[in-house]
Amino acid sequence: RKEVEQDPGPFNVPEGATVAFNCTYSNSASQSFFWYRQDCRKEPKLLMSVYSSGNEDGRFTAQLNRASQYISLLIRDSKLSDSATYLCVVQLSGGSYIPTFGRGTSLIVHP
Amino acid sequence: GAVVSQHPSWVICKSGTSVKIECRSLDFQATTMFWYRQFPKQSLMLMATSNEGSKATYEQGVEKDKFLINHASLTLSTLTVTSAHPEDSSFYICSASGTPGPQHFGDGTRLSIL
């Protein structure tokens, strides 16, 4: 079983739709969780950290379920500019622990 | 916010050339930096963990004599692709983190070996 698993997609949705991605992780000692966005031929950029209580940033909501060992990302009112690959990242703790990346979920938002 | 600078952003070289890529943390100190490689339409692959003042830790299958890593200061790590060949053409990205928190990525270096 891979350490961090994501459905590669692509998720093809119309503008204005709500879309959700899940990411499962295998190491129960994982402490830090993040969602990144990567555009084609660009570096990954931090979208949001994921906190135990769940957190929201505008149209984006991230949640953590430690019991089932997954994190989720919900995007409401999708925009064309949301089209990208969304990477799930899991770390044990601290800055020096190797971050483990999912392979990414591709989102395509069409008019 | 934390900024990681990577240079150069684009390199085109002849086969057999050695190429050095720099990764700098601009506003924080990073005892650890990571180097990744990404081929088109594939996921990021961790190549090595760069440790300040000590040897890098390489992932399985990554040749340490081919990809030389030097982390001489708390703000700079370099990756040298020695005697590069066309199959080394890829997108190389570094990342670093200050205090416990998310990784911040450099802009990446697109390496093309002719």
Side-chain angles (χ1 to χ4, degrees):
Chain A
R1 181 184 174 187
K2 291 183 181 176
E3 291 186 56
V4 177
E5 292 200 60
Q6 289 182 256
D7 181 346
F11 285 64
N12 207 317
V13 303
E15 265 187 297
T18 296
V19 62
F21 310 134
N22 278 346
C23 167
T24 59
Y25 60 94
S26 60
N27 191 332
S28 59
S30 300
Q31 293 293 327
S32 303
F33 308 89
F34 310 96
W35 282 103
Y36 283 76
R37 169 195 170 125
Q38 185 175 26
D39 292 287
C40 188
R41 301 169 71 86
K42 298 279 191 179
E43 80 281 11
K45 291 189 185 295
L46 179 67
L47 182 63
M48 57 198 305
S49 302
V50 186
Y51 303 119
S52 298
S53 55
N55 48 301
E56 187 174 311
D57 183 2
R59 297 182 293 109
F60 300 85
T61 300
Q63 292 197 314
L64 166 64
N65 186 316
R66 287 192 183 273
S68 301
Q69 294 184 204
Y70 75 86
I71 66 172
S72 64
L73 177 68
L74 180 78
I75 305 175
R76 289 182 298 278
D77 189 22
S78 300
K79 311 291 184 190
L80 295 177
S81 57
D82 293 334
S83 299
T85 297
Y86 291 83
L87 302 169
C88 161
V89 178
V90 175
Q91 271 182 239
L92 286 175
S93 69
S96 59
Y97 285 104
I98 297 174
T100 304
F101 286 79
R103 62 177 297 173
T105 297
S106 177
L107 172 66
I108 302 170
V109 181
H110 58 82
Chain B
V3 178
V4 175
S5 172
Q6 192 172 334
H7 177 80
S9 57
W10 196 291
V11 181
I12 302 175
C13 289
K14 292 181 180 180
S15 185
T17 308
S18 292
V19 179
K20 180 188 277 189
I21 303 170
E22 293 186 348
C23 180
R24 294 180 186 273
S25 56
L26 297 185
D27 55 359
F28 64 97
Q29 293 183 329
T31 55
T32 304
M33 291 184 176
F34 300 99
W35 286 97
Y36 303 85
R37 181 167 54 181
Q38 187 174 35
F39 292 105
K41 297 186 178 181
Q42 295 190 21
S43 56
L44 283 170
M45 290 184 58
L46 179 66
M47 298 176 66
T49 303
S50 173
N51 305 299
E52 188 268 334
S54 65
K55 291 182 179 180
T57 305
Y58 290 82
E59 295 300 299
Q60 192 173 10
V62 178
E63 299 175 58
K64 61 181 180 182
D65 295 329
K66 171 77 172 177
F67 300 98
L68 300 178
I69 291 173
N70 187 308
H71 195 150
S73 78
L74 287 170
T75 59
L76 174 64
S77 174
T78 61
L79 168 69
T80 301
V81 184
T82 60
S83 187
H85 292 286
E87 59 267 27
D88 297 322
S89 299
S90 187
F91 188 45
Y92 292 85
I93 316 175
C94 70
S95 75
S97 174
T99 52
Q103 293 294 313
H104 296 277
F105 288 85
D107 292 340
T109 298
R110 201 159 300 281
L111 177 62
S112 296
I113 305 298
L114 306 177

